[in-house]
Amino acid sequence: MHYSERILGYVKRAEQATQSAKERALREFGLTPAQQTAMAILSDHEGITGAQLARECDVTPQTMNSTLVRLERRGIVERTPHPMHGTLVEIRLTRAGRNLFAAADARVAELDAALSKSLDDVELGTLKELLTRIGATAKDQ
Amino acid sequence: MHYSERILGYVKRAEQATQSAKERALREFGLTPAQQTAMAILSDHEGITGAQLARECDVTPQTMNSTLVRLERRGIVERTPHPMHGTLVEIRLTRAGRNLFAAADARVAELDAALSKSLDDVELGTLKELLTRIGATAKDQ
DNA sequence: TGATGGTTATCAGATGGCTGATAGTTAACA
DNA sequence: TGTTAACTATCAGCCATCTGATAACCATCA
């Protein structure tokens, strides 16, 4: 199989194109795709820890920590030591963070809708299913 | 649409899982996915320039340059000034680079075959087509 | 001829991802 | 009780990627 026809390449190219579109959409908010993803999880899980957030975003705790440092510097999230547990640090969106997220997420939702419109409903479901299956297979390798 | 059901996320997760599998497969050769991709193009395009290689790999010339610096340091590629054109630099795999690529690419082909086996032939074709379409739509955004 | 614009290579600096390592905390159990 | 195992946070360093900037070169055409 020539490398240009490998499924690995198809997935890679599609991801590059879609994430790049997401990056362009987020630029006006000063956010990167990774930051927006972390904020989306945070908006659903008040007071989550960094390690849990990393698992939800499917990155390492170290990667998540570096993202959080940047978001904290800008006053988008705040980290407070857990009241009972000595090691844990609870993470929350600040008020400014919630406002920024609401605006940015609406823009991302708009992009996602535009992407989805290039496929009909059946195709969209098929694509999600096939991507899930091939992702699961990859994890077993 | 809740963020967990967005097509952006499905593509991202699948890419992360498959590229991570590729990274694990390449580790024994001391190569990263980006390096292997550049070597694959080089093996097909003897004497290509950095800018052309960047376009083929769909990255910026700067990104490709940093990858080439690393490959050159390890004696995997060589860069020689174009005989006629003053600015251009021709890039080639060295003999060692060709040998390394042959071994590493066989391993990647094996991984790709394993991933492909989780789908039947029709599904594989469908996946490629849908990924191509959604990627093209993303580029228009 | 010479100026303009497009291409190439490459430096610098930021971000996000990884692995490896360290230190502290908690929980479980012999 | 004390030790061990697991988890958490975080530092350091590497790689890949981007944007922005610079310098050199080439081609075209007024």
Side-chain angles (χ1 to χ4, degrees):
Chain A
M1 169 85 70
H2 191 258
Y3 62 81
S4 62
E5 275 307 306
R6 289 180 188 153
I7 190 64
L8 276 165
Y10 278 88
V11 176
K12 177 89 188 314
R13 288 188 290 273
E15 191 268 350
Q16 208 154 357
T18 54
Q19 286 298 304
S20 161
K22 180 174 173 179
E23 192 188 319
R24 288 193 296 276
L26 285 172
R27 192 160 302 160
E28 61 178 297
F29 303 97
L31 292 174
T32 64
Q35 291 167 352
Q36 193 270 344
T37 299
M39 290 169 76
I41 309 283
L42 275 173
S43 74
D44 259 12
H45 298 84
E46 183 81 7
I48 196 175
T49 69
Q52 288 173 320
L53 189 51
R55 281 192 293 271
E56 290 286 332
C57 290
D58 210 13
V59 299
T60 61
Q62 294 93 322
T63 296
M64 184 51 64
N65 188 55
S66 76
T67 297
L68 290 174
V69 165
R70 292 181 179 92
L71 289 177
E72 191 177 30
R73 262 193 225 130
R74 288 172 55 192
I76 290 171
V77 306
E78 56 188 6
R79 295 195 277 187
T80 53
H82 189 285
M84 303 307 297
H85 191 296
T87 308
L88 303 187
V89 175
E90 294 181 336
I91 304 159
R92 283 183 183 75
L93 287 175
T94 61
R95 175 179 300 272
R98 279 193 298 276
N99 290 340
L100 180 58
F101 173 70
D105 194 63
R107 180 68 191 85
V108 172
E110 194 183 303
L111 168 63
D112 198 80
L115 293 178
S116 299
K117 258 197 299 190
S118 60
L119 281 61
D120 68 35
D121 284 355
V122 173
E123 289 173 330
L124 194 59
T126 301
L127 179 56
K128 289 180 181 179
E129 201 257 322
L130 296 179
L131 285 174
T132 301
R133 216 191 306 164
I134 211 159
T137 306
K139 286 190 181 172
D140 293 338
Q141 296 296 309
Chain B
M1 169 85 71
H2 191 257
Y3 63 80
S4 61
E5 275 307 305
R6 289 179 188 154
I7 190 63
L8 277 166
Y10 278 88
V11 175
K12 178 89 189 314
R13 287 188 291 272
E15 191 267 351
Q16 206 154 358
T18 54
Q19 286 298 304
S20 162
K22 181 173 173 179
E23 192 187 320
R24 288 193 297 275
L26 285 172
R27 193 160 303 160
E28 62 178 296
F29 303 97
L31 293 174
T32 64
Q35 290 168 354
Q36 193 270 344
T37 299
M39 290 169 76
I41 309 283
L42 275 173
S43 75
D44 259 11
H45 298 85
E46 184 80 8
I48 196 176
T49 68
Q52 288 173 321
L53 189 51
R55 281 192 293 270
E56 290 285 332
C57 291
D58 209 14
V59 298
T60 61
Q62 294 93 323
T63 296
M64 184 51 64
N65 188 54
S66 77
T67 296
L68 289 173
V69 165
R70 290 180 180 90
L71 290 177
E72 191 177 28
R73 265 193 222 129
R74 289 173 55 190
I76 290 171
V77 307
E78 56 188 7
R79 295 194 278 187
T80 53
H82 190 285
M84 302 308 297
H85 191 295
T87 309
L88 302 187
V89 176
E90 293 180 336
I91 304 161
R92 283 183 182 76
L93 286 175
T94 61
R95 176 180 300 274
R98 279 193 298 275
N99 291 339
L100 180 58
F101 173 69
D105 194 63
R107 180 68 191 84
V108 172
E110 194 182 303
L111 168 62
D112 198 81
L115 292 179
S116 299
K117 259 197 298 193
S118 60
L119 281 60
D120 67 35
D121 284 356
V122 173
E123 288 173 330
L124 195 58
T126 301
L127 179 56
K128 289 180 181 178
E129 200 257 322
L130 296 180
L131 285 174
T132 301
R133 215 192 305 164
I134 211 159
T137 306
K139 285 189 182 172
D140 293 338
Q141 296 296 310

